[in-house]
Amino acid sequence: MKAFIYIIYLFTFSLFAQESIETTLLKSTELNAESLISIDNFGTVYYVNNDVFYKKNESGIITYNNLQLGELNTVNAFNPLKINLFYKDFNTIIVLDNRLAEISKMDFNTIQPYKNISHVSTGFDNTIWVFNMDNQQLELFDYKTKTTRARSLPIQSNVLDLKSNYNFCWLLTENYLYKYNYFGSLISKIKNDGFTKFYVNSGDVILQKSNSLYFLHKASENLSPVNVPNLLINQFFVTNETLYIYDSKILFEYQIKIE
């Protein structure tokens, strides 16, 4: 009987024990940025200082600022041809092209019906994912036609973070991480066990809890810890097989092997 219980224990442990994701430090460099947004495949660095948005590459540095809109809360550069900037205090989104020229401006104080927006992320085509606090719904908003193409069912907990690619949108709340398709239909959800931020790379998700990172494969609901030194993680993201971690002074680059 004891042997049988021991076998069951080992089998159960094997189901839940996850191999960690290994990393190798490539380099570390000093960086002066209040908020590091991303680094693309070509080495272009996107960051924010004093509510000014910067794009830095081999050709030089170009900037965008709209100081009359106040604090620049979030920037999404997933699509470098349609970068979106969110100014929460003014309930406004600005869309920029790759030269940081304005393509579109959405002032939700003047668009009917009124939307009180808390989080923003890039959609496909001419769309933006927004979280509407008034109805507690995730909405896919078309900024050309000023109409909502899709919306989710109401969310029952506070929203912490929002990310997307061209096909899906992920919404992290205090209770769950939700995944939606571009019709606003719920695809999956997993319980939030203390995660506060996340990043999406090729459909895989890396979540942050305190100063630890966990990997969620797009075809699984099992989490694997990412082995990195004990660092202060202010921002992090993945480009190709490089994990970037920024501690507000030093940018660390790690090679990350994901099967």
Side-chain angles (χ1 to χ4, degrees):
M1 183 65 181
K2 288 183 178 180
F4 176 75
I5 293 174
Y6 182 69
I7 292 171
I8 293 296
Y9 171 79
L10 289 178
F11 177 72
T12 303
F13 181 80
S14 67
L15 287 177
F16 290 95
Q18 298 299 309
E19 293 186 2
S20 60
I21 305 296
E22 298 300 324
T23 61
T24 303
L25 180 63
L26 299 175
K27 65 177 180 178
S28 59
T29 54
E30 291 187 2
L31 179 67
N32 179 26
E34 289 180 1
S35 180
L36 177 63
I37 305 304
S38 67
I39 300 175
D40 66 18
N41 295 331
F42 305 101
T44 303
V45 183
Y46 302 88
Y47 61 97
V48 174
N49 270 331
N50 297 318
D51 297 316
V52 178
F53 177 53
Y54 291 79
K55 177 182 177 181
K56 179 181 179 181
N57 55 25
E58 293 180 350
S59 301
I61 299 176
I62 55 176
T63 65
Y64 173 87
N65 68 79
N66 201 323
L67 299 181
Q68 65 266 32
L69 291 179
E71 181 181 356
L72 175 55
N73 294 91
T74 60
V75 178
N76 188 299
F78 171 74
N79 182 350
L81 301 178
K82 295 179 180 179
I83 303 168
N84 63 70
L85 284 63
F86 179 43
Y87 297 86
K88 186 175 181 179
D89 290 345
F90 283 79
N91 207 25
T92 296
I93 301 170
I94 303 292
V95 180
L96 307 177
D97 65 15
N98 63 336
R99 297 299 301 169
L100 305 193
E102 287 191 17
I103 298 174
S104 181
K105 177 180 179 180
M106 289 158 278
D107 181 353
F108 288 101
N109 298 307
T110 61
I111 297 173
Q112 297 299 321
Y114 171 81
K115 301 179 191 297
N116 187 14
I117 304 303
S118 66
H119 293 77
V120 171
S121 190
T122 300
F124 65 94
D125 197 11
N126 299 311
T127 62
I128 297 285
W129 287 101
V130 299
F131 187 76
N132 187 342
M133 291 191 295
D134 288 340
N135 57 21
Q136 290 295 107
Q137 288 179 302
L138 179 67
E139 301 183 13
L140 184 63
F141 184 77
D142 188 321
Y143 58 81
K144 289 290 187 180
T145 63
K146 301 295 190 295
T147 58
T148 297
R149 291 194 187 183
R151 58 170 52 90
S152 71
L153 293 174
I155 305 298
Q156 302 301 321
S157 60
N158 292 332
V159 175
L160 303 177
D161 203 359
L162 174 65
K163 296 288 189 299
S164 60
N165 57 26
Y166 295 124
N167 297 315
F168 300 101
C169 182
W170 290 260
L171 185 71
L172 180 65
T173 74
E174 291 178 344
N175 293 337
Y176 294 99
L177 173 67
Y178 297 93
K179 180 180 179 181
Y180 296 91
N181 63 19
Y182 54 78
F183 297 112
S185 299
L186 181 64
I187 301 300
S188 64
K189 70 176 183 179
I190 64 168
K191 186 172 178 57
N192 183 357
D193 186 25
F195 302 110
T196 55
K197 298 178 184 177
F198 72 101
Y199 189 82
V200 176
N201 178 58
S202 299
D204 300 321
V205 179
I206 296 179
L207 297 115
Q208 179 181 354
K209 176 167 42 172
S210 186
N211 281 316
S212 298
L213 300 177
Y214 296 84
F215 178 79
L216 176 66
H217 192 278
K218 56 189 170 187
S220 173
E221 293 186 359
N222 295 319
L223 292 165
S224 300
V226 179
N227 277 347
V228 292
N230 186 22
L231 300 172
L232 176 63
I233 304 175
N234 281 344
Q235 282 94 38
F236 70 96
F237 51 88
V238 176
T239 301
N240 290 329
E241 292 187 343
T242 303
L243 168 65
Y244 296 89
I245 297 178
Y246 184 53
D247 70 355
S248 78
K249 293 181 180 180
I250 305 295
L251 175 64
F252 298 90
E253 300 179 34
Y254 292 89
Q255 183 180 33
I256 181 170
K257 288 292 187 180
I258 300 172
E259 300 297 333

